[in-house]
Amino acid sequence: MTGRRHGRLRLPDVARPDDDDAASSTLNGTEYQSQYLSLPSSPTSYFRRQPSSMSRRPSISDPPDERSPLLGAPARSSRVRIHSAHGSPRIPHLSRNQSYADSIKSLRNHSRHNSWTNSWSQRLIQALADRQESSMSDSKTLYPDDRVWYDQFTSTDWVHDSIADAYRVKALRSRKDFWGRVYVLWDSSQGWILSALVGFIVAVIAYVVNVGEATVFDFKDGYCQRGWLISEKTCCPHGPCTDWRDWGEVLQGFPFGERWTEYGVYILAVMTLATLSCLLTLTTKTVVPSAYRLATFDEDLGAEVPAPLPDADGNGAAPNAASPTRPPAKTEQPQPPMVYYSAAGSGVAEVRVILSGFVLHGFLGFKTLVIKTIGLILSVASGLSLGKEGPYVHIASCVGNIACRLFAKYDRNDAKRREVLSAAAAAGVTVAFGAPLGGVLFGLEEVAYYFPAKTLFRTFFCCITAALTLKFLNPYGTHKIVMFQVRYLVDWEYFEILSFILVGVLGGAAGALFIKASRYWAKTFRRIPVIKAHPLLEVLLVALVTGVVGYWNTLTKLPVAKLLYNLAAPCDERDNNLEDLGLCPTDISDIPPILTNLSAAFLIKGLLTIVTFGIKVPAGIYVPSMVVGGLMGRLIGHVVQWVVMATPDWSVWGTCPKMPNATCIQPGVYGLIAAGSTMCGVTRLSVTLAVILFELTGSLDYVLPFSLAILVAKWVADAIEPLSIYDLLTEMNSYPFLPNKHKPIFTSDLADIVPRVRRERIIDITNSPVVPAVSLRTKLEHLHRAGELDGGLPIVRDGILVGLIPAPDLEYALDQLRDEASSLCLMAPVPSIDDSDDGRPDPTDFTPYIDPAPVALDIRSPMDLVYECFVKLGLRYICVLKDGRYAGMTHKKTFVKYVRELEEKEGHM
């Protein structure tokens, strides 16, 4: 065959200069790689796609299966495509017996048929285009030399991407002249450019959201005569003024009187804004065929997890994973398709799973970015008990994903792309809390699965860029990055340590109980058929209750970010940002009314937060949980303040009762500590949260109380509810997410999860290296029905494992055959095979797709070693040997299911 004989490689033919190759043959606009470098051979450098009529393409009338389009239109494919060697340095297949020396060559003459400007403009248009994911078979016929590598609901092959990038870098550095060094410098600078670009864009989007939601929020009460787009604070910076007109005044009290008319308009505005946000969110609807065994993709804790279907042996051994499983028996009723909305909720759980290597198309696309940004402005402005800080992580990850399309080395390598996504997610936390250091730690502690030192430094650079940009934009007119930044000038007293510990205990308990209450509400109310079928109805009901109940309490009527600031800020008459809420007592008699008001607000806000979490609008849980905790902490702070003022002669207080402004006790400190403790109970963030609170206050004096309370809160929350809110969502959704921070206790070996060897799950070449294509297609379809869309078929000779062909590669190779029914496919190298007469390769030779050295472990290997291989190497599957002979194969999804069952068993002990 061309370019390959007896394990040697030859330079592939020069690429034809068609439009697709011209757009992709640049180094992100630099076309030198396409012509002067010869990279390791790949299937796509040899095979040309057959006409669409010859491809296996399902018709519109076919029932949904694993090849059905998930996002509607089977339009232009946007999967991660691996071009041929002459079009890109991305290598779809890298055989380990290929020669490095043969793969690094150069052509001295390279054309420049595309200008730098044209190539970059094309890349920008492609980056902003909303990529519609179609099926694997659909997309294969659209690009002559493109290839889909990662299908929907599969996991990333980290080893493959690492090897592919190593080949790319080796080829890039092979040129030693001036322009070669320039290209190397440009390649190494792309990561920094992306980090800066992502940080800047995320800050601009955060500015738009902050300014937009503040303006729209005030429309529920009235408008400014000097301009409709002016918020009440900007219209009347020094208090009530004539420029601001309430709706009761505008309507002249019609029809219920001025006060009740304002109440009615407020409720109507809350419901209208929530409805608009929900309608926008519903446009991101994605229908997953029933073949995909998933529970839910948005924050619905009440989702029903389908029972696993029986495998070939009749037992329930189908992996609990995000991929199609064996169809139900004829006697069973087929389950309806699962529906999810990519713009709903916060998206933090999905971002974490994506960063772990799970392919989830549509969640980080341009459409999701636009819809979620606009919907977030409307949902926050409606006054619902939700926040914008969590969705910032999802929005920032969308920005990072879209920005990666500008550079080929990130666009065509999922492992490299996840480096940028980690930095982007951290930038989202930075603009949410004004904490660049907290953002870096958030990426390290919560979302990132692989976080090397290089990624850490670029993440820090991205966060600093985002923070500086937002600082210059000044969204609130206070020169603060976020609204609830506070400063404490009075130090804490030693007798307050016990109070801080108590606040941590109550905050952690409140966070854990919130998870249980949200789960209970979702499993009862959201499973009502009408509510389940019409998510807009639930949003309307929640908005109605929020407007009716929250209007009369001055605390619950405020936006959550402003309320958190008023709960955490110290009492200072010079602070113009504080609202007149009556939270600053001057005498002991002022405290009981404050406690009554705070208690009512705590109950209202707590219940509203529980029923709001999980509705189909963009919504975060970070700040709402902090607000609930802040109300509780402020309560405790005023109680401590009352005790000190009631017993001023106790020596334990020292000089505290004699200080001005009632006492030295600052209830705002208790409010912020309780806010952080409750958020810790919900999310289980620890170090990240302590640093965020430090950056919010800018005071080293309160690092110890913050850290102490968060430590206690995490211990208490773990004792009440072992899972965080996002761990619970990940488990409910049946994502193939293998936790890398909490290693289970293994006492077994690999034999416990290895199924018996079945003839339909292997390719036996003992008698002949040639296998009928029909047989391979049958084995491939069996893999798909078993839920292993990203699995593989081991190749065995005399019981010895001699190779493995991944399922995506096998399907691609089979689709290239002109006559599949009568074709015989070569599954092992045969030295006597020569090139065909016409110089074209034989499409029945499948050896370029075969991995000759798959990762294999002995069946007696301890389960700890299996865990380390899946977590550290990012493998999809591991072959199993017994006394040197093939004994089976275990998939990552099977191992994830085993780990979950093991943890559940330990939890019941």
Side-chain angles (χ1 to χ4, degrees):
M1 57 182 290
T2 304
R4 180 184 178 102
R5 182 182 293 170
H6 306 297
R8 302 279 300 181
L9 295 177
R10 293 190 310 191
L11 189 67
D13 298 333
V14 178
R16 66 183 189 279
D18 55 31
D19 295 335
D20 288 334
D21 286 343
S24 63
S25 63
T26 61
L27 172 68
N28 318 322
T30 311
E31 64 273 28
Y32 83 99
Q33 292 180 344
S34 65
Q35 306 290 339
Y36 93 99
L37 291 178
S38 171
L39 302 180
S41 65
S42 67
T44 53
S45 63
Y46 300 130
F47 297 125
R48 295 282 188 254
R49 298 279 176 89
Q50 304 302 327
S52 58
S53 61
M54 299 180 183
S55 300
R56 294 174 55 91
R57 188 166 185 154
S59 64
I60 298 176
S61 61
D62 290 339
D65 57 10
E66 66 272 6
R67 296 184 179 86
S68 301
L70 298 179
L71 297 181
R76 184 179 179 89
S77 172
S78 63
R79 306 278 176 73
V80 180
R81 296 184 299 273
I82 304 180
H83 292 246
S84 59
H86 57 264
S88 160
R90 174 71 185 267
I91 310 302
H93 169 79
L94 298 173
S95 298
R96 300 187 185 182
N97 61 352
Q98 291 175 343
S99 169
Y100 277 80
D102 290 338
S103 66
I104 309 301
K105 297 180 181 179
S106 63
L107 294 175
R108 296 304 179 185
N109 298 324
H110 53 279
S111 65
R112 298 187 178 272
H113 55 275
N114 278 346
S115 67
W116 180 277
T117 305
N118 290 338
S119 61
W120 266 95
S121 62
Q122 293 173 0
R123 280 204 165 274
L124 183 60
I125 293 174
Q126 293 175 0
L128 295 179
D130 193 19
R131 299 183 171 190
Q132 293 292 325
E133 276 69 47
S134 60
S135 70
M136 180 180 289
S137 57
D138 283 342
S139 60
K140 283 180 179 178
T141 61
L142 297 179
Y143 295 90
D145 281 320
D146 288 357
R147 174 172 174 230
V148 177
W149 183 258
Y150 295 120
D151 198 15
Q152 179 77 302
F153 306 138
T154 59
S155 53
T156 301
D157 191 337
W158 297 94
V159 176
H160 167 273
D161 283 354
S162 177
I163 297 174
D165 190 64
Y167 272 86
R168 183 193 65 83
V169 174
K170 182 71 174 179
L172 187 67
R173 295 178 179 177
S174 63
R175 185 173 175 180
K176 301 300 183 181
D177 61 353
F178 172 76
W179 286 109
R181 298 180 184 274
V182 171
Y183 294 143
V184 170
L185 180 63
W186 166 245
D187 182 78
S188 62
S189 65
Q190 290 175 10
W192 299 102
I193 295 174
L194 266 182
S195 299
L197 181 63
V198 169
F200 174 79
I201 296 177
V202 169
V204 171
I205 293 178
Y207 171 81
V208 172
V209 173
N210 293 337
V211 174
E213 63 90 4
T215 302
V216 179
F217 188 93
D218 292 334
F219 283 158
K220 301 195 301 294
D221 298 318
Y223 73 98
C224 184
Q225 294 185 105
R226 292 191 283 114
W228 281 88
L229 299 180
I230 300 178
S231 64
E232 183 178 4
K233 186 69 175 178
T234 306
C235 185
C236 303
H238 303 294
C241 64
T242 57
D243 289 335
W244 182 262
R245 301 192 65 191
D246 294 328
W247 293 118
E249 178 185 354
V250 173
L251 299 176
Q252 298 179 354
F254 177 83
F256 309 112
E258 185 170 324
R259 183 63 170 167
W260 288 99
T261 298
E262 291 178 359
Y263 181 45
V265 172
Y266 179 86
I267 296 175
L268 182 62
V270 171
M271 297 180 65
T272 301
L273 293 174
T275 300
L276 291 175
S277 178
C278 181
L279 291 175
L280 279 174
T281 303
L282 296 182
T283 61
T284 62
K285 176 180 179 180
T286 302
V287 179
V288 181
S290 58
Y292 290 93
R293 307 295 290 182
L294 283 171
T296 178
F297 269 96
D298 43 39
E299 294 172 350
D300 183 5
L301 295 178
E304 299 180 17
V305 181
L309 296 171
D311 62 0
D313 297 330
N315 51 22
N320 185 21
S323 55
T325 60
R326 181 177 299 280
K330 294 182 179 179
T331 58
E332 298 180 4
Q333 293 294 329
Q335 294 188 359
M338 188 268 291
V339 178
Y340 71 90
Y341 307 89
S342 59
S346 66
V348 176
E350 286 74 19
V351 169
R352 185 175 69 164
V353 173
I354 289 173
L355 288 177
S356 72
F358 187 48
V359 179
L360 194 60
H361 294 309
F363 256 97
L364 303 180
F366 183 72
K367 178 181 178 181
T368 302
L369 171 64
V370 174
I371 296 298
K372 188 145 193 171
T373 301
I374 300 175
L376 183 62
I377 294 175
L378 297 174
S379 63
V380 174
S382 68
L384 297 177
S385 185
L386 48 83
K388 57 181 181 289
E389 288 71 22
Y392 275 161
V393 177
H394 186 190
I395 290 173
S397 299
C398 290
V399 173
N401 180 63
I402 295 169
C404 285
R405 301 173 187 172
L406 297 174
F407 300 96
K409 80 171 184 178
Y410 291 99
D411 186 32
R412 296 169 186 153
N413 191 304
D414 265 29
K416 298 290 292 182
R417 179 193 298 266
R418 276 156 177 73
E419 296 180 8
V420 180
L421 295 183
S422 298
V429 173
T430 298
V431 298
F433 294 99
L437 297 180
V440 175
L441 290 176
F442 174 83
L444 182 62
E445 183 178 357
E446 180 67 15
V447 297
Y449 205 80
Y450 175 65
F451 212 76
K454 178 179 64 175
T455 303
L456 176 67
F457 194 37
R458 288 180 180 173
T459 300
F460 181 58
F461 176 67
C462 183
C463 292
I464 292 296
T465 303
L468 286 176
T469 304
L470 197 59
K471 181 79 171 178
F472 285 122
L473 291 175
N474 192 18
Y476 301 107
T478 59
H479 300 288
K480 296 179 180 179
I481 300 178
V482 292
M483 182 178 292
F484 42 86
Q485 280 183 295
V486 295
R487 293 291 181 269
Y488 299 123
L489 302 178
V490 179
D491 200 358
W492 55 280
E493 300 291 338
Y494 288 104
F495 65 81
E496 294 183 276
I497 290 182
L498 294 178
S499 302
F500 296 150
I501 294 177
L502 176 63
V503 168
V505 171
L506 295 178
L513 292 176
F514 167 80
I515 297 175
K516 290 183 176 294
S518 299
R519 175 73 175 273
Y520 176 79
W521 172 260
K523 293 177 69 175
T524 53
F525 180 77
R526 290 204 181 107
R527 287 189 178 177
I528 299 175
V530 176
I531 299 298
K532 187 175 181 180
H534 302 89
L536 180 59
L537 178 59
E538 182 187 7
V539 173
L540 285 173
L541 292 176
V542 172
L544 177 62
V545 173
T546 301
V548 171
V549 177
Y551 179 82
W552 301 107
N553 191 294
T554 56
L555 297 176
T556 57
K557 190 179 179 182
L558 289 175
V560 288
K562 185 179 292 186
L563 176 57
L564 180 60
Y565 177 77
N566 282 270
L567 293 174
C571 295
D572 188 355
E573 297 179 354
R574 297 167 297 179
D575 190 352
N576 295 327
N577 296 316
L578 280 177
E579 302 288 333
D580 186 13
L581 303 176
L583 296 179
C584 296
T586 57
D587 189 76
I588 191 173
S589 60
D590 297 335
I591 296 180
I594 295 176
L595 296 179
T596 302
N597 192 20
L598 287 172
S599 300
F602 172 71
L603 293 176
I604 294 173
K605 208 67 178 178
L607 293 176
L608 289 179
T609 304
I610 291 173
V611 302
T612 304
F613 180 76
I615 63 175
K616 300 302 183 288
V617 296
I621 193 58
Y622 289 155
V623 172
S625 65
M626 295 180 73
V627 165
V628 174
L631 289 167
M632 179 182 65
R634 190 88 184 194
L635 269 170
I636 299 175
H638 283 295
V639 169
V640 174
Q641 190 179 45
W642 182 88
V643 171
V644 173
M645 295 177 70
T647 58
D649 297 330
W650 286 14
S651 59
V652 68
W653 311 135
T655 60
C656 184
K658 300 180 177 58
M659 295 185 65
N661 297 325
T663 63
C664 66
I665 304 298
Q666 298 186 84
V669 172
Y670 288 79
L672 188 59
I673 292 177
S677 301
T678 307
M679 181 178 169
C680 175
V682 174
T683 64
R684 307 302 157 86
L685 293 173
S686 55
V687 180
T688 299
L689 201 48
V691 173
I692 287 176
L693 295 180
F694 159 68
E695 292 186 270
L696 285 176
T697 60
S699 174
L700 288 172
D701 297 333
Y702 286 90
V703 170
L704 181 59
F706 292 153
S707 304
L708 182 62
I710 288 173
L711 280 174
V712 175
K714 192 173 190 309
W715 288 334
V716 173
D718 286 339
I720 298 176
E721 172 58 58
L723 298 178
S724 71
I725 190 67
Y726 297 120
D727 290 333
L728 188 60
L729 288 170
T730 302
E731 182 180 281
M732 285 294 302
N733 294 342
S734 300
Y735 294 131
F737 178 78
L738 190 60
N740 61 339
K741 299 179 177 65
H742 306 287
K743 181 180 179 181
I745 300 175
F746 297 110
T747 57
S748 57
D749 52 30
L750 183 55
D752 289 353
I753 61 173
V754 177
R756 66 179 180 84
V757 180
R758 304 191 192 103
R759 187 166 49 186
E760 64 270 14
R761 300 296 293 271
I762 64 173
I763 301 175
D764 194 345
I765 60 172
T766 302
N767 298 324
S768 172
V770 177
V771 180
V774 175
S775 174
L776 294 176
R777 177 68 71 177
T778 302
K779 295 177 185 293
L780 177 66
E781 291 175 351
H782 184 86
L783 272 183
H784 287 175
R785 288 195 302 267
E788 298 183 14
L789 200 66
D790 52 350
L793 289 174
I795 303 173
V796 179
R797 179 189 289 121
D798 294 323
I800 305 299
L801 179 68
V802 296
L804 183 143
I805 182 167
D809 293 74
L810 178 59
E811 183 174 10
Y812 174 82
L814 290 173
D815 286 346
Q816 311 309 307
L817 301 177
R818 294 182 179 273
D819 186 7
E820 184 175 315
S822 60
S823 295
L824 297 176
C825 306
L826 181 64
M827 304 303 297
V830 178
S832 61
I833 290 184
D834 295 327
D835 295 343
S836 57
D837 297 336
D838 58 359
R840 294 175 59 85
D842 182 4
T844 62
D845 184 3
F846 285 10
T847 55
Y849 303 94
I850 297 174
D851 181 2
V855 177
L857 296 177
D858 190 83
I859 197 170
R860 293 176 292 271
S861 299
M863 202 64 75
D864 295 84
L865 178 59
V866 180
Y867 174 86
E868 295 296 333
C869 287
F870 279 121
V871 171
K872 301 295 177 61
L873 299 181
L875 301 177
R876 287 176 169 176
Y877 36 71
I878 295 177
C879 295
V880 182
L881 306 179
K882 183 177 181 179
D883 299 328
R885 303 178 69 85
Y886 179 75
M889 186 173 71
T890 183
H891 197 279
K892 178 181 179 180
K893 299 171 185 177
T894 305
F895 184 72
V896 171
K897 180 186 177 183
Y898 169 79
V899 170
R900 287 178 179 168
E901 292 175 349
L902 183 63
E903 292 176 344
E904 291 176 1
K905 187 182 299 183
E906 292 177 352
H908 294 307
M909 293 178 60

